């Protein structure tokens, strides 16, 4: 799909031309899983997949929502913006417009708008099509509503916060900040080392000579549902409470692996102990992985990715048979430096570092093993690390 084709679709849908086009990417997290809500760091990068948004003003004081990916069409009066029932897809956009108005007293929605979305992030694969949609909407409507920032980094962080608030309030998902942040602050050929507590971050070049980041989609119907997610959040809180009797902490991510040896016996709940052990280990692995990448120690980076998967499988228990089948097959392929689940877990994707010459073998072997074990067909994408949100035209 080219932007030219999107413009034609816009004109066919609305009978007039689009005035502007925006793009925001999906993301893949290289390492640092389930650390974000524990005050830890994450290491995602923006992809070249994402969401496009074409907009033009209308004279009708309504917001018209269409998506080239969806059947449903919505029309909402600009004076009646509120969450829509039945998991309406327009919530991911409408919420951003509402939140811009609430966070920025100077913001004014002066007219109605016609909107057309197109997305090419594989659906429900944990590569954050929702964040792409939110961030592209936040980018477009901050501009349309007259919100501006002198500092581009601060502007992008604000776009991420608008998107996250939308996801909480309009989609009912109490997500961390990683997805929207990566979509807003992405940089071509760089990953983002983000502290999810302070929102301090650094762009780290991803220089992988002769190696590619390969994303493999389980196409599994399983998801980390909000129940299982909230259980993990609660178990981590239990661990914090019990540890705080011997060493007061706010977040598990404050603990080093040395600290862990001293405090682990304070956790009496065995499940909470496993969850906490994952978080402490994952925080250490994420820092080590960032250092390894900076030094060009890609083999070590890969080992840390694999160790991350093992910990998510055994201690955090969020992998499931499909993600395990993919990772375990990948580890057997010569030329694979590391492989792990990425995103919340249970379904979604793995991310692997694969030498160029091994990619075809990787696809053939992992694809066949996966189908043998699960009866499902996997899909493979060689990731291109792209820029964050922007206005294209
Ligand atoms: P993901 O892991 O891809 O973010 P989510 O379940 O969080 O999965 O978000 C997917 C939802 O986001 C879709 O069900 C739909 O409501 C909305 N969405 C994402 N991309 C688009 C799009 N291009 N057009 C319309 N809605 C979209
Ligand atoms: Mg999402």
């Amino acid at each position: 799909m080219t932007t030219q084709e999107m413009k034609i679709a816009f004109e066919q849908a609305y009978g007039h031309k689009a005035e502007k086009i925006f793009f925001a990417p999906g993301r893949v997290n290289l390492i640092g899983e389930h650390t974000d809500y524990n005050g830890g760091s994450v290491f995602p990068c923006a992809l070249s997949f994402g969401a496009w948004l074409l907009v033009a003003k209308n004279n009708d004081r309504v917001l018209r929502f269409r998506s080239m990916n969806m059947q449903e069409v919505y029309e909402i009066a600009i004076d009646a913006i509120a969450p829509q029932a039945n998991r309406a897809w327009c919530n991911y956009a409408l919420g951003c417009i509402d939140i811009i108005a609430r966070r920025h007293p100077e913001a004014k929605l002066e007219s109605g708008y016609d909107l057309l979305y197109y997305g090419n992030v594989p659906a429900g694969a944990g590569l954050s099509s929702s964040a792409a949609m939110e961030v592209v909407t936040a980018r477009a409507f901050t501009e349309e509503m007259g919100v501006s920032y002198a500092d581009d980094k601060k502007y992008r962080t604000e776009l991420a916060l608008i998107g996250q608030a939308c996801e909480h309030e309009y989609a009912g998902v109490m997500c961390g900040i990683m997805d929207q942040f990566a979509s807003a602050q992405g940089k071509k050929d760089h990953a983002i080392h983000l502290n999810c507590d302070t929102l301090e971050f650094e762009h780290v070049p991803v220089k992988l000579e002769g190696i590619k980041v390969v994303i493999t989609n389980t196409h599994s119907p399983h998801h980390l549902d909000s129940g299982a997610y909230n259980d993990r959040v609660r178990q981590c809180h239990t661990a914090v409470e019990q540890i705080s009797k011997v060493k007061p902490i706010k977040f598990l991510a404050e603990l080093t692996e040395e600290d862990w040896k001293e405090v682990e016996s304070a956790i009496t709940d065995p499940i909470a102990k496993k969850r906490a052990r994952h978080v402490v280990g994952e925080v250490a692995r994420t820092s080590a992985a960032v250092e390894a990448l900076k030094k060009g120690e890609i083999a070590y980076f890969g080992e840390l990715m694999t160790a991350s998967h093992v910990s998510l499988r055994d201690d955090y228990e969020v992998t499931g048979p499909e993600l395990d089948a993919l990772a375990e097959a990948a580890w057997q392929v010569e030329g694979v430096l590391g492989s792990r689940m990425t995103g919340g877990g249970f379904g979604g994707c793995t991310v692997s570092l694969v030498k160029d010459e091994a990619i075809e073998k990787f696809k053939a072997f992992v694809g066949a093993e996966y189908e043998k074990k699960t009866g499902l067909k996997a899909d493979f994408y060689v990731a291109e690390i792209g820029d964050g949100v922007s206005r294209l035209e």
Side-chain angles (χ1 to χ4, degrees):
M1 176 75 55
T2 63
T3 50
Q4 194 52 38
E5 289 167 322
M6 294 176 210
K7 285 192 216 175
I8 292 167
F10 186 98
E11 214 170 328
Q12 279 172 351
Y14 292 118
H16 59 98
K17 283 190 171 22
E19 291 163 0
K20 296 179 184 178
I21 307 182
F22 301 86
F23 171 78
R27 65 92 189 95
V28 65
N29 190 23
L30 299 178
I31 194 162
E33 216 66 74
H34 289 284
T35 52
D36 56 350
Y37 52 84
N38 285 300
S41 70
V42 292
F43 200 41
C45 37
L47 295 169
S48 55
F49 298 131
W52 284 258
L53 168 58
L54 288 75
V55 300
K57 291 192 176 77
N58 65 42
N59 296 318
D60 307 324
R61 298 190 63 75
V62 294
L63 298 166
R64 294 197 183 94
F65 293 96
R66 288 174 185 267
S67 167
M68 296 175 79
N69 306 94
M70 299 284 178
Q71 292 291 325
E72 303 87 349
V73 171
Y74 303 96
E75 187 167 308
I76 316 276
I78 63 173
D79 306 315
I81 295 177
Q84 304 297 299
N86 305 321
R87 306 167 69 92
W89 67 259
C90 70
N91 280 329
Y92 294 91
L94 200 55
C96 292
I97 297 170
D98 186 8
I99 282 152
I100 292 168
R102 283 196 267 141
R103 286 174 69 96
H104 296 275
E106 78 278 19
K108 294 260 174 320
L109 191 61
E110 306 271 17
S111 79
Y113 280 87
D114 294 338
L115 294 87
L116 178 68
Y117 290 86
Y118 168 72
N120 65 357
V121 180
L127 301 176
S128 259
S129 65
S130 62
M133 219 184 130
E134 288 150 4
V135 170
V136 80
T137 308
R139 173 65 184 81
F141 278 86
T142 43
E143 181 169 315
E144 292 305 310
M145 294 162 77
V147 174
S148 65
Y149 279 75
D151 181 321
D152 187 57
K153 275 197 174 155
K154 286 197 179 130
Y155 179 38
R156 287 172 184 274
T157 294
E158 175 61 13
L159 297 179
L161 291 167
I162 293 165
Q164 185 195 25
C166 169
E167 185 116 7
H168 288 183
E169 290 185 37
Y170 274 68
V173 180
M174 298 310 286
C175 60
I177 190 66
M178 168 167 69
D179 302 353
Q180 292 80 6
F181 204 90
S183 183
Q185 298 278 13
K187 183 169 167 184
K188 190 170 169 44
D189 297 329
H190 288 69
I192 305 169
H193 187 207
L194 167 67
N195 180 316
C196 296
D197 180 27
T198 62
L199 301 188
E200 281 166 26
F201 72 102
E202 180 188 16
H203 284 127
V204 180
V206 180
K207 277 194 237 117
L208 302 170
E209 262 126 64
I211 296 162
K212 296 281 185 300
V213 175
V214 182
I215 297 169
T216 309
N217 191 344
T218 59
H219 286 295
S220 156
H222 302 140
H223 289 285
L224 179 70
D225 62 36
S226 55
Y229 183 90
N230 293 339
D231 283 346
R232 299 300 184 285
V233 175
R234 213 175 29 248
Q235 290 152 356
C236 290
H237 280 162
T238 301
V240 167
E241 269 171 27
Q242 297 188 345
I243 290 167
S244 289
K245 290 182 188 146
V246 294
K247 180 180 170 69
I249 54 168
K250 185 169 159 221
F251 290 122
L252 289 173
E254 291 162 37
L255 299 172
T256 63
E257 288 184 299
E258 287 301 301
D259 297 331
W260 176 250
K261 289 181 201 141
E262 283 163 29
V263 302
E264 69 171 315
S265 59
I267 311 174
T268 52
D269 176 335
I271 299 289
K273 186 184 280 192
K274 283 167 84 165
R275 305 299 187 246
R277 186 163 59 207
H278 164 72
V279 174
V280 174
E282 188 75 355
V283 165
R285 277 187 292 275
T286 305
S287 307
V290 172
E291 287 314 304
L293 188 63
K294 286 180 179 172
K295 291 190 203 145
E297 293 168 355
I298 311 303
Y300 183 42
F301 191 99
E303 286 168 26
L304 292 162
M305 287 172 72
T306 294
S308 165
H309 185 93
V310 170
S311 173
L312 288 157
R313 182 189 67 191
D314 299 344
D315 279 344
Y316 223 66
E317 298 180 285
V318 288
T319 55
E322 291 86 2
L323 288 166
D324 286 338
L326 283 184
E328 285 159 17
W331 298 337
Q332 293 177 50
V333 177
E334 207 187 316
V336 171
L337 289 88
S339 183
R340 61 181 286 273
M341 60 154 272
T342 184
F346 294 124
C349 292
T350 60
V351 58
S352 310
L353 294 183
V354 188
K355 290 188 178 164
D356 286 342
E357 63 272 19
I359 289 180
E360 286 314 310
K361 197 173 62 186
F362 173 85
K363 289 182 187 172
F365 181 78
V366 173
E369 285 292 299
Y370 183 64
E371 197 171 348
K372 224 187 311 176
K373 279 198 186 149
T374 66
L376 298 168
K377 276 200 183 349
D379 252 326
F380 299 87
Y381 325 101
V382 173
E384 277 177 53
I385 303 178
D387 281 319
V389 65
S390 66
R391 180 173 160 190
L392 303 178
E393 293 181 26

